[in-house]
């Protein structure tokens, strides 16, 4: 392995500060626990269990993610396409180590993942790779037609055997359905916001008050 390659991280991203990580974890846990008790959720339980009449404990269903973060560029130590170019972008170099305020605008749950949608500001978009959405095209064909930044998220939990990269794909899938005007039937107003169902076990809670999360732009070497 070339030294030049090993000097690139596993990924770049915004890392949530410890205090806000706890708050986000608690809020998503609250959401999951409440979702589990809703009649509307029970009606679509087979999305999660694959069989009727079976119960699911969502708290147990997902395993938690380590340090909460919003990935900007997955570099895979330089093996990922465009990794070097991203690391060399002036904005990336200038803003490395700076503090940001991320806006978490929605929470979503699918049979595979739990995550929070991040609504990026114009300033934050300078750190967002232009092809982030397009890279998910094989999984979500409409991904490239969604606005830049659509994929921005914080992974909060994964079902057994599911990789965190799936969280962004699940979010893009929901946003693609929204864009097509499909699904998104309003299920109910919860204390945290409005809950909508997008079919196949996909639930999106638009937060009444977005969570403002302090985060540091940095990288992770794994
Ligand atoms: P996410 O950003 O949804 O949390 P891993 O531990 O699997 O190597 O992943 C490290 C981080 O990079 C995770 O945060 C993960 O997902 C993200 N990630 C992994 N693979 C990709 C990929 N192909 N494209 C974008 N992000 C990725």
């Amino acid at each position: 392995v070339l030294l030049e390659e090993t000097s690139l991280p596993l990924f770049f991203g915004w890392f949530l500060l410890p205090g806000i990580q706890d708050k986000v974890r608690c809020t998503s846990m609250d959401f999951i626990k409440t979702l589990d008790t809703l009649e509307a959720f029970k009606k679509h339980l087979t999305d999660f269990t694959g069989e009727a009449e079976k119960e699911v404990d969502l708290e147990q269903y997902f395993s938690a993610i380590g340090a909460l973060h919003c990935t900007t560029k997955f570099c895979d130590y330089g093996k990922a396409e465009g990794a070097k170019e991203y690391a060399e972008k002036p904005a990336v170099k200038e803003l490395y180590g700076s503090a940001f305020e991320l806006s978490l605008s929605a929470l979503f749950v699918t049979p595979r993942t739990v995550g929070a949608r991040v609504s990026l500001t114009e300033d934050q978009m300078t750190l967002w790779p232009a092809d982030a959405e397009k890279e998910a095209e094989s999984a979500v064909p409409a991904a490239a037609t969604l606005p830049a930044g659509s994929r921005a998220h914080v992974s909060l939990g994964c079902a057994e055997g599911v990789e965190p990269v799936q969280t962004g794909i699940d979010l893009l899938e929901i946003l693609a359905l929204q864009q097509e005007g499909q699904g998104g039937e309003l299920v109910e107003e919860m204390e945290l916001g409005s809950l909508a169902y997008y079919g196949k076990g996909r639930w999106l809670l638009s937060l009444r008050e977005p969570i403002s999360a302090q985060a540091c732009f940095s990288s992770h070497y794994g």
Side-chain angles (χ1 to χ4, degrees):
V1 183
L2 292 169
L3 188 61
E4 198 177 324
E5 280 175 3
T6 57
S7 68
L8 285 172
L10 181 60
F11 63 92
F12 284 91
W14 288 285
F15 295 79
L16 274 61
L17 301 192
I20 196 70
Q21 286 198 40
D22 293 343
K23 182 181 161 152
V24 173
R25 281 208 180 89
C26 285
T27 308
S28 84
M29 200 45 96
D30 261 7
F31 169 47
I32 283 175
K33 278 195 209 164
T34 310
L35 183 64
D36 219 352
T37 64
L38 298 179
E39 280 312 313
F41 181 77
K42 289 181 184 161
K43 206 169 85 187
H44 298 289
L45 209 54
T46 52
D47 295 336
F48 283 78
T49 59
E51 46 189 300
E53 311 293 330
K54 211 175 148 196
E55 301 241 328
V56 63
D57 180 351
L58 284 184
E59 262 183 273
Q60 304 286 319
Y61 186 88
F62 296 107
S63 43
I65 304 283
L68 299 187
H69 62 272
C70 173
T71 304
T72 52
K73 177 68 186 173
F74 180 71
C75 294
D76 200 9
Y77 308 110
K79 292 198 284 286
E81 212 183 304
K84 193 162 178 278
E85 291 74 10
Y86 182 81
E88 285 170 357
K89 269 166 76 116
V92 171
K93 288 185 165 171
E94 272 164 37
L95 297 169
Y96 195 83
S98 309
F100 286 83
E101 195 94 13
L102 296 182
S103 174
L104 277 47
S105 54
L107 297 175
F108 55 95
V109 170
T110 77
R112 297 163 296 279
T113 64
V114 191
R117 182 181 188 190
V118 178
S119 297
L120 299 174
T121 62
E122 258 177 63
D123 280 354
Q124 293 164 354
M125 281 301 297
T126 61
L127 292 169
W128 191 253
D131 50 1
E133 283 73 28
K134 199 172 169 26
E135 274 179 10
E137 227 176 1
S138 58
V140 185
T145 69
L146 290 167
S150 294
R151 191 178 182 173
H153 69 280
V154 175
S155 290
L156 298 171
C158 288
E160 208 184 315
V162 175
E163 301 284 337
V165 64
Q166 184 65 42
T167 319
I169 292 166
D170 284 356
L171 174 60
L172 288 171
E173 222 177 81
I174 292 172
L175 297 180
L177 290 168
Q178 258 181 11
Q179 181 173 257
E180 290 161 21
Q182 269 189 56
E185 89 183 76
L186 180 70
V187 173
E188 66 184 75
E189 290 297 334
M190 296 171 71
E191 212 177 301
L192 288 167
S194 338
L195 178 69
Y197 180 62
Y198 287 87
K200 297 186 187 163
R202 297 167 292 198
W203 300 86
L204 180 83
L205 175 75
S206 303
L207 295 172
R208 210 177 302 286
E209 284 188 35
I211 301 172
S212 168
Q214 284 183 302
C216 175
F217 178 68
S218 180
S219 62
H220 181 79
Y221 281 82

